[in-house]
Amino acid sequence: MTTTTTSPVLTATGVTMRFGGLTAVQSVDLDVHPGEIVGLIGPNGAGKTTFFNCLTGLYIPTEGSVAYEGTVLPPKPHLVTQAGIARTFQNIRLFANMTVLENVLVGRHTRTKEGLWSALLRGPGFKRAEAASKARAMELLEFTGLADKADHLSRNLPYGEQRKLEIARALASDPGLLLLDEPTAGMNPQETRATEELVFAIRDLGTAVLVIEHDMRFIFNLCDRVAVLVQGQKLVEGTSEVVQSDERVIAAYLGTPFEGAPGAEEAAEVEAAEAGASEAGATTGAPQDETQRGTTARTEDGQ
Amino acid sequence: MTTDKTQPTPVNEAEPGATAPRTTLLRALTAAGGAAAVVSTFLAWTWTAEFPGDLTVYGYPGGLQLLTLVLGIATALFALAALGLKGLRWLTPSGSTQALRMLALGTFAVTWFTVIAIAVDLDGLVNLEPGGWIAAVATAAPVATTFLLPDDTRPLCRPEKLPSWADILIIAGVFALGLYVVNYGIQTDADHPEPFIGYLIAVAFAAVALIKAGLVSRISELTSAYRSTTLVAALITAIVFPFFQDKSSFTELGVNIAIFATVALGLNIVVGLAGLLDLGYVAFLGVGAYTAALVSGSTASTIDVRFPFWAAVITGGVVSLIFGVVIGAPTLRLRGDYLAIVTLGFGEIFRLAMLNLDGTSGPSVTNGPDGIPNIPPLEIFGFNFNDDHSIGGLSLDSNGNYYLLMLLVTIVVVLIFSRAGNSRIGRAWVAIREDETAATAMGINGFRVKLVAFALGATLAGVAGAVWAHFQSTVVPEQYVFAGPVPPNSTFLVAAVILGGMGTIGGPLLGATLLYLIPKKLEFLQDYQLLAFGIALILLMRFRPEGIVPNRRQQLEYHETGQLDVPGATGLKDGAVGVTKAEA
């Protein structure tokens, strides 16, 4: 699937984000090519979401630049979306008191241009644009399977459907690249599989996808390429196999063995943790496990 | 209408046809109590006509007795409807008990208020005639019986579909009734507070009863089914209002209400839709009023020009727009409460600037505290607004002329509000209000969209201010304060929006009406007006935070349990779980 011949939709070059003395993201380079699904993984606090915020203009990177289809993006969220990068949020940020349809219509904002005057005068152009927006929004709701709930308030949707609606809303801006921030967090295995299907379908529509996720099965099923971010730095980037077998990745997630510790005991521990990791995300306890592992990794790296 | 059955409520419902004999008895007693209250209003309650309304006549109810009479009849009718009397079932589409309780309480409250007021005003219970005692007892009994009744609240049952002429007739009747009720309130004796307080009590309880009975939901179903008919009916009701007033001061009340309601609706774009708290909105009204006054050709104006009215209005609007952009541009880039602080400051600066631009402390523009008096009367196509006119046998005085002009402005603002609100830009405003980060991530230029809302609000206030200046024929700085007992002031406007219901059209109109009318009628409160105002606001915000006319969205925001918006009947559980999960 990986196509290196085409020019990338997204080129992040040396993106660095510092908050005072803390370097959250340190000179990360990342390319996403058209039709690709790229995963971004890493322990909690590795800087994945910060990196996303740098890409979408919510943060202004301290150093480095982000380019969409060769053009460097200004660090303004609405201009980034207009250029063609849409995103979802880690903690769902729907417009809770708007209907499902209205949420998607807001997503159409950049692809329509009717201003106040045309709204007040209600000319034929306005009506046509409204009807077209509505038709496109319904199409997307159809696509995500929410069409029958178009008139519900988005706050009343069940959790899984709220996640879907966020994706539909992001797709409404006809993006060339979709950034998904933990799209399956808190989902049960069936919902996770459904999301997997949805992401494949989005890719088939011609939209490249960059996805942050903690559910390793989800990531390795889905992604053509996976980048691993640890402590703000990109550790490895490659296919699932490469990443899975990389010792540094395992160390980052699970920590390195203590010197002088009984080998057999350690090995058993690692095995148990691996078994846990393969189920990560499927159980609600997963994020906590992740935290512990992340902390372990960090302390040991510091030594 | 629809075929799908609404799910049964968890409330244990008394099966129709199998009502317990006790319930039947209690309902019959309630009906009898209502009837007794009705009868009591035909007796004399006091011996002297000194008490306002003349309650001394046998055989003919008057003054406050009329309120007891109406509520008594309503109690009796609803009790009969609860008993299953054919032809009355339509009164209680969603249950009778709660409505009966409210009506019984209302009758009781109005009657006891009257009786106690007689005793207090005339110094002693001895001033009560037997009729008063009978009324007091007759209205207390139904309160007891209704609170013993089992709750029979049920989901709204949809009656058979009536022919459309009948529906339209019902809408017309509702508006006629509404006009009568409003008129009754406006025309109550301003020298005595008792009739108006009684009126307020009666209207409040009756309104809650109608909501509980489900009649309000029925009516709003009808009005949304016949939108254009409803709009025409509302328009006619508003137009005929001045022709029903026998005193010019009542029409003047109407003009002021129309002006403040319009300004509140303009503020609602800023506060209700875009979520920007503007605490100095009255200053934009002032900018419009002062601008219009300066170019009106007033002898006191420092500029020697005389614009025609339409040009003065446009100038007022444009100057307000410029001020709106100047204030908004630097502050709207920031998030949070900065805008509230800046607008609060702007409101005060405007007033002080108008005070000081008097030729001694600053350049001579506004005549300082004297303001700009003698704004010449409006004349459009030879139609002088200060003269009396007679249209088709109906006479219209100066206030009536201005009322109709102001009504035109109100209609324009209502149109602007509904059209802007229901469009791409309106959705962007609501999105910004809901979650600014997500909105910008959806490609909305937050600053620009907010500035449009703010500037539009300022312009509308400027236009209303220009009309108001001509109506008042004078402008002075002290009208434009942050808070005060007399509208307009910024607090009054914000309160009207919040009290009425943010983001709705009816809300600010109703809120401004109530907030203007009540203090006008209760002038005896004097210094305590602001205190009463504050207490009323606190109570309202505690018990009905979404305002009197709730936005469907807000209603859900404040009352988590009801799945009110769901078309048809889908799982309440799903939604509830979704919410808790999302918040976890």
Side-chain angles (χ1 to χ4, degrees), chain B residues 136-209:
Chain B
V137 176
T139 54
V143 175
T145 53
T146 50
F147 276 87
L148 291 172
L149 277 171
D151 194 351
D152 64 346
T153 307
R154 56 179 178 251
L156 200 64
C157 65
R158 294 166 199 280
E160 288 162 40
K161 193 151 169 39
L162 292 167
S164 56
W165 60 264
D167 281 343
I168 289 169
L169 216 59
I170 291 174
I171 293 175
V174 166
F175 274 97
L177 184 70
L179 179 63
Y180 181 80
V181 171
V182 171
N183 252 348
Y184 189 94
I186 285 182
Q187 297 187 349
T188 48
D189 191 350
D191 300 331
H192 304 282
E194 291 90 354
F196 189 73
I197 296 177
Y199 165 81
L200 273 187
I201 297 173
V203 168
F205 278 103
V208 177

Side-chain angles (χ1 to χ4, degrees), chain B residues 1-87:
Chain B
M1 278 191 253
T2 45
T3 44
D4 51 6
K5 291 266 178 282
T6 30
Q7 64 189 26
T9 44
V11 186
N12 39 349
E13 195 181 341
E15 284 296 313
T19 25
R22 178 168 168 273
T23 310
T24 314
L25 178 68
L26 283 171
R27 283 174 177 162
L29 280 175
T30 311
V38 170
V39 170
S40 77
T41 62
F42 288 87
L43 307 173
W45 287 9
T46 181
W47 58 275
T48 161
E50 259 177 60
F51 189 78
D54 193 4
L55 312 183
T56 59
V57 191
Y58 278 92
Y60 193 80
L64 284 163
Q65 286 176 330
L66 279 175
L67 298 170
T68 304
L69 175 71
V70 171
L71 287 173
I73 292 174
T75 313
L77 284 180
F78 274 74
L80 289 176
L83 281 170
L85 198 71
K86 282 237 169 358

Side-chain angles (χ1 to χ4, degrees), chain A residues 95-112:
Chain A
F95 307 120
N97 296 308
M98 295 175 94
T99 66
V100 168
L101 180 65
E102 281 172 330
N103 265 279
V104 184
L105 284 174
V106 170
R108 291 293 301 161
H109 191 87
T110 52
R111 299 295 169 241
T112 44

Side-chain angles (χ1 to χ4, degrees), chain A residues 77-78 81 89 93 95-98 102 105-106 109-110 112 114 119-120 122 126 130 152-153 155-156 169, chain B residues 419 422-424 427-428 431 434-435 437-438 440-445 553 556-557 560 563 565 567 575 579:
Chain A
H78 64 273
T81 311
F89 292 88
R93 298 188 86 146
F95 307 120
N97 296 308
M98 295 175 94
E102 281 172 330
L105 284 174
V106 170
H109 191 87
T110 52
T112 44
E114 277 60 43
L120 295 185
R122 300 262 145 144
F126 174 83
E130 280 286 286
H152 290 224
L153 284 193
R155 61 181 294 129
N156 290 336
R169 186 180 67 174
Chain B
R419 290 195 159 186
N422 183 22
S423 72
R424 171 175 176 268
R427 287 191 295 268
E434 292 281 305
D435 185 337
T437 305
T440 53
M442 289 307 116
I444 294 169
N445 185 343
R553 295 178 180 132
L556 284 148
E557 201 168 327
E560 291 275 344
Q563 183 95 331
D565 69 315
V579 168

Side-chain angles (χ1 to χ4, degrees), chain B residues 115-429:
Chain B
V115 167
I116 292 170
I118 291 173
V120 172
D121 281 8
L122 305 176
D123 288 327
L125 289 171
V126 73
N127 295 298
L128 286 172
E129 289 282 308
W133 293 106
I134 292 171
V137 176
T139 54
V143 175
T145 53
T146 50
F147 276 87
L148 291 172
L149 277 171
D151 194 351
D152 64 346
T153 307
R154 56 179 178 251
L156 200 64
C157 65
R158 294 166 199 280
E160 288 162 40
K161 193 151 169 39
L162 292 167
S164 56
W165 60 264
D167 281 343
I168 289 169
L169 216 59
I170 291 174
I171 293 175
V174 166
F175 274 97
L177 184 70
L179 179 63
Y180 181 80
V181 171
V182 171
N183 252 348
Y184 189 94
I186 285 182
Q187 297 187 349
T188 48
D189 191 350
D191 300 331
H192 304 282
E194 291 90 354
F196 189 73
I197 296 177
Y199 165 81
L200 273 187
I201 297 173
V203 168
F205 278 103
V208 177
L210 292 183
I211 291 170
K212 295 281 184 202
L215 282 177
V216 172
S217 319
R218 279 281 300 136
I219 297 296
S220 56
E221 265 176 26
L222 274 185
T223 52
S224 54
Y226 297 90
R227 263 184 73 89
S228 45
T229 313
T230 309
L231 288 177
V232 170
L235 198 60
I236 292 174
T237 314
I239 289 175
V240 300
F241 167 82
F243 299 107
F244 279 85
Q245 309 306 321
D246 44 10
K247 271 198 209 161
S248 184
S249 60
F250 296 148
T251 323
E252 191 188 342
L253 270 180
V255 184
N256 280 317
I257 287 173
I259 288 174
F260 298 132
T262 310
V263 179
L265 192 56
L267 179 62
N268 199 20
I269 293 179
V270 183
V271 174
L273 290 183
L276 307 166
L277 185 53
D278 186 342
L279 292 179
Y281 195 65
V282 80
F284 295 114
L285 184 76
V287 170
Y290 261 96
T291 311
L294 284 173
V295 300
S296 67
S298 154
T299 48
S301 166
T302 48
I303 307 173
D304 192 20
V305 288
R306 178 159 194 181
F307 281 19
F309 174 66
W310 61 266
V313 166
I314 291 176
T315 319
V318 167
V319 174
S320 266
L321 167 73
I322 294 168
F323 271 90
V325 171
V326 167
I327 301 298
T331 35
L332 289 170
R333 289 180 193 278
L334 306 168
R335 291 189 191 186
D337 307 327
Y338 301 101
L339 185 75
I341 297 163
V342 169
T343 50
L344 181 63
F346 171 64
E348 286 303 287
I349 290 168
F350 170 78
R351 186 174 59 87
L352 293 172
M354 293 304 110
L355 269 175
N356 287 314
L357 293 176
D358 57 354
T360 44
S361 320
S364 172
V365 183
T366 63
N367 299 330
D370 296 337
I372 303 172
N374 303 329
I375 297 171
L378 271 184
E379 205 171 304
I380 301 176
F381 303 124
F383 184 94
N384 189 308
F385 273 66
N386 276 28
D387 294 345
D388 289 1
H389 292 274
S390 143
I391 302 168
L394 294 162
S395 67
L396 207 58
D397 61 358
S398 151
N399 285 330
N401 297 330
Y402 280 103
Y403 173 83
L404 291 183
L405 175 69
M406 202 50 228
L407 192 62
L408 193 69
V409 179
T410 311
I411 291 166
V412 170
V413 175
V414 167
L415 265 182
I416 290 178
F417 184 93
S418 71
R419 290 195 159 186
N422 183 22
S423 72
R424 171 175 176 268
I425 189 115
R427 287 191 295 268
W429 287 336

